[in-house]
Amino acid sequence: MKRRNFLYGIGSASALLASNKLTGQNIFPEESDDCGCYPNTSFISEQTKPRVLPTPWQRGDYDYVLSKVRITDLKTIPVSVTPTSDRPYVFVKLETNVGVVGWGEATLEGKAGSAMQAVHDLKDSIIGSDPIQVTHHWQSMWVHAFFRGGPILGSAISGIDHALWDLRGKLLGLPVYKLLGGPTDPEGVRGYYHARANSREQLIELRESAEKLGVTAFKTGLPAQTYEWIDTHAKIDRAIKQLQMIRESLGPKIDIACDFHAKTSPAVASIIIKEIEPLNLLFVEEICPPENAKAMAKITKRSTTPIATGERLIAHFGFRELIEQGIVDIIQPDCAHTGGITGVWAAGALAAASGISVAPHNCTGPIGGLAAIHTDAAMPNFIVQEVCSGVNSTENERVWEEWLGFQAQRMVNGKYPLSDKPGLGFDVNEEALKKYPFAGTVPMARVFADDGSVCGW
Amino acid sequence: MKKTTQSEAFNLNSGNNAFTYSGAGISDIVQQRRSRLAESKKTENTPMKPVGDLDIKDIRGWTLKEPVSKNTYTVIKIQTGSGLVGYGECSQLSPAEFAEAKRIIIGTPVTSFEVVAPKLSHVTTARAAINIAMLDVTGKIAKAPIFQVLGGPTRFKARALAPLTGNTDQELINSMNRLKALGYLAFMVPIPTVVWRNQGQEYVLATRNRLDALRAAGGENTDFALDGSNKLTPGDAQMICEAIENFHVLFFNEPCLPVSIGAIKKLSAENVTPIGLGKGITGENQILDLIRDDAVDIIRPSIGLNGISQIKRMAVIAETYYIAVGPDHNGGPIGTAACLHLAASIPNFFVQKIPCPEAEEDRLMRLALVAEPVETIKEGYAPLLTGPGLGITVNEKIFEKYMEASL
């Protein structure tokens, strides 16, 4: 309880920091080639007189090209749908001098506390600025960070970026997908649900529901919770047979994707994706952890099954090598981690030039998902959006309905419908959010092999 | 070989309600996919619903010619169902290309500037002008300049580059002095007249001397880009690159024909003189090899062949390799306006070339085309245009005077 109060308090603590005389200004050490680490030029030392230069905004250079709207406050509102959730939603709210507010989501699985603090660390780039110039602010948050990239900075930038786009849309009177030059399909954005069916009977039932609902694609996972560096034939065969059963039961009309969740090594993943080649899957996802492009390339070369990855890659910079080397067929940026709408759009544009498709990942809360849908609607190389639910709506979605007034992850005829409202197209009931108080940071599940060694899931 | 084993495995598991798989079943999937694809193509050609208020209802075009320079470019105008109008500009457009583009875009929502692009991929010049015009209308709907619609401003002014005209060094100095008086501080310098292939030391020295003479006349706050205009052989280009390495040009533009990336790669590896390339490029994929092979330091796609959005996409690619964007522009003032909005929409913009015709008559035409002062330079930079859309008022009345063809 104390912890919750403390973190709610961050919002007001920011007001205190905002009164600091150095906030929002360019601070240069006396010598321009100084790295800032010597005591005589330390930014915080009392004896020093750092050369403080006004920003271009403070000089007024930007006045003639900006709107009159200014961001007056930045708040994070963390909510835990259940006390044990490893991903309490970190909503970001930007307030302006004209009363219009923008909403975003900086949720980061297992790192709620870090994500919230990271959002507040970016405050200087945002407070007092014009929400219209989102590209400029994105650059400022990325470049001025000095330590660029990483999921914590990526998620924080994402949350602020969504809120800036929401504000931009509301101020310019257009839905975000129109500001981005969409929509490709006025009926909406094609999505896939998670299969959430294990037996043949359940799968056949799922096929019937899909036919009724117009759903055209599903995603499934591998049957074992963990895989070791090399694995036994029983576990490998089970994975192959399970995927074969899914294809047989769902039939040829439904696209099937399989998420390896980077819990397989190149050795194990290679065998499975070689054996499932004839199933013509839509894609297999995260066949190994994404930080080693060469290892992923080794698997990719061994199968014709399209390879997708990207939920843990940050900004377009994070996707460059995989695209350049022809390792991936489909990229999966996550709108709540990769740098928001600006980040997903840029990664999509980079992929498009190489003929590579985009199928954004989404496994956080409703706002990140809605931001992704707006971006999808404007990308010519978009194929399908992950809709983090099943054919039947979940408890989560009923909670989201209390917050936003609609179930934020429901498709109609296999597509996620687009709203005509300006911005991201929703209002948040803040009273309803309070019913789900933040229950603290909960790490992601820790899983182990039979011998007790550490495994990913 | 693998497939036989797999189909056997499938049959083991097939139950009553399940689909049975065989090799033929797999090719069914391919056929299914193909028929689905064919269906989606079919719907593209079905008659459109009635033109809505914010759909494109009409498009017109005029090819204009500057009286003295004889430079030609096409201006287009689109109109929505509700009567909103937007202007665009591109390189000279043929009637056939215009007609094909018109067939495709009538009935399209005017704000769908990004998703209409793939449908126009076979008429890229028209695509450039249509993109600018659609953004002009989108900005008018949003009551905001294009750079704001696109997420900017990323900067509050755009560095300008003026091409010098003349054959001799003295003519170029005169041209520079005239343009300096107009506010320009960066200049594109043509190489000395190319008379033959592989011209050797005399030519190399003449090029270096030309740059030295211009800097001596222009002073320390002037900058220069050398324009090879694809006229040199790789041999001459690499010697000149070497000779001007310590002159520190902004960049050496089109040092030799980029038909073979090999020649440009060699040039780039031998020298630290930044290389500018790209004026003929019409798709973002065409810059990929240049960038990935370390052949270019500043990409220079032409606004008249690409429009704003296409160059914005190229800028994303360039940004991930830390490469600058300095669009080429050989058209009129509407194109210049588009360039300024682009400059303020991307992070890695460096410099914008702005045509500055020598003849008074040509300059008057440019001034008369647009009511606002678009090509006004202050201390080397062009200020941004702040009105809705392109932020310009096009004077259609003078089209007739300068018209080469009506589309």
Side-chain angles (χ1 to χ4, degrees), chain A residues 51-377:
Chain A
R51 194 154 55 99
V52 179
L53 302 178
T55 64
W57 299 283
Q58 289 164 338
R59 289 201 305 263
D61 291 337
Y62 266 103
D63 285 354
Y64 84 109
V65 285
L66 295 179
S67 79
K68 299 286 173 238
V69 180
R70 293 293 178 270
I71 295 165
T72 50
D73 204 0
L74 174 157
K75 287 175 178 155
T76 50
I77 301 171
V79 285
S80 295
V81 176
T82 61
T84 54
S85 172
D86 68 354
R87 62 202 72 174
Y89 305 139
V90 176
F91 294 133
V92 177
K93 183 185 176 192
L94 294 180
E95 295 173 352
T96 61
N97 59 348
V98 291
V100 183
V101 298
W103 285 92
E105 183 178 341
T107 304
L108 181 58
E109 293 88 331
K111 300 259 185 307
S114 311
M116 264 185 284
Q117 189 51 53
V119 170
H120 287 285
D121 290 346
L122 295 169
K123 178 175 55 62
D124 282 0
S125 292
I126 301 301
I127 292 180
S129 71
D130 181 352
I132 287 288
Q133 48 174 177
V134 63
T135 311
H136 187 80
H137 299 325
W138 197 101
Q139 289 287 325
S140 173
M141 292 187 284
W142 181 264
V143 177
H144 293 155
F146 185 83
F147 298 99
R148 297 153 59 128
I152 296 173
L153 179 64
S155 301
I157 291 178
S158 297
I160 293 172
D161 182 83
H162 302 153
L164 290 169
W165 275 98
D166 190 25
L167 278 172
R168 280 166 49 70
K170 286 168 179 166
L171 297 170
L172 298 174
L174 287 169
V176 168
Y177 64 85
K178 284 193 181 171
L179 284 178
L180 289 165
T184 315
D185 179 354
E187 281 176 31
V189 166
R190 185 190 178 212
Y192 64 78
Y193 286 130
H194 291 189
R196 290 176 184 165
N198 297 316
S199 68
R200 192 172 290 276
E201 290 68 35
Q202 286 175 339
L203 283 160
I204 289 162
E205 210 176 292
L206 186 68
R207 187 186 81 211
E208 285 160 0
S209 308
E211 279 165 5
K212 238 179 280 162
L213 295 168
V215 174
T216 55
F218 286 102
K219 188 162 88 184
T220 183
L222 290 176
Q225 192 185 40
T226 59
Y227 290 85
E228 297 181 56
W229 302 98
I230 296 284
D231 223 317
T232 59
H233 85 272
K235 267 167 86 181
I236 288 174
D237 285 0
R238 195 177 147 216
I240 296 162
K241 291 225 170 75
Q242 165 114 345
L243 285 167
Q244 287 167 345
M245 180 180 73
I246 291 171
R247 172 55 95 193
E248 285 166 28
S249 310
L250 293 182
K253 288 187 186 173
I254 290 175
D255 279 324
I256 300 164
C258 181
D259 189 356
F260 284 27
H261 227 249
K263 58 186 171 187
T264 45
S265 68
V268 173
S270 295
I271 301 171
I272 301 172
I273 67 166
K274 187 71 195 171
E275 292 283 355
I276 61 170
E277 264 183 344
L279 302 179
N280 290 349
L281 297 187
L282 182 64
F283 58 77
V284 292
E285 173 174 336
E286 285 208 304
I287 45 181
C288 72
E291 67 262 10
N292 185 332
K294 196 163 171 284
M296 193 172 283
K298 178 179 168 185
I299 318 173
T300 303
K301 280 183 213 150
R302 292 167 148 180
S303 173
T304 56
T305 302
I307 305 295
T309 204
E311 70 192 74
R312 310 183 206 195
L313 299 174
I314 307 305
H316 40 315
F317 301 98
F319 289 86
R320 183 200 48 81
E321 187 175 10
L322 292 172
I323 292 170
E324 179 180 303
Q325 306 292 331
I327 295 164
V328 289
D329 303 279
I330 295 158
I331 61 161
Q332 300 176 293
D334 187 314
C335 204
H337 301 321
T338 203
I341 292 164
T342 307
V344 172
W345 188 88
L350 186 68
S354 294
I356 286 170
S357 306
V358 189
H361 175 266
N362 163 39
C363 254
T364 52
I367 297 178
L370 287 164
I373 281 156
H374 279 267
T375 324
D376 299 339

Side-chain angles (χ1 to χ4, degrees), chain B residues 54-128:
Chain B
L54 293 181
D55 293 344
I56 298 171
K57 188 182 165 196
D58 194 21
I59 172 170
R60 293 187 62 194
W62 303 267
T63 295
L64 308 179
K65 188 187 236 175
E66 289 180 2
V68 180
S69 73
K70 306 294 179 200
N71 191 19
T72 52
Y73 34 86
T74 298
V75 173
I76 67 144
K77 172 178 156 184
I78 58 170
Q79 192 164 3
T80 66
S82 63
L84 286 169
V85 298
Y87 292 92
E89 186 198 293
C90 60
S91 299
Q92 188 171 358
L93 203 53
S94 75
E97 187 169 346
F98 179 80
E100 170 64 1
K102 179 173 181 174
R103 185 185 70 76
I104 293 166
I105 67 152
I106 298 295
T108 308
V110 73
T111 53
S112 64
F113 54 88
E114 196 69 61
V115 299
V116 82
K119 296 177 188 163
L120 296 166
S121 58
H122 57 308
V123 282
T124 51
T125 309
R127 179 177 67 182

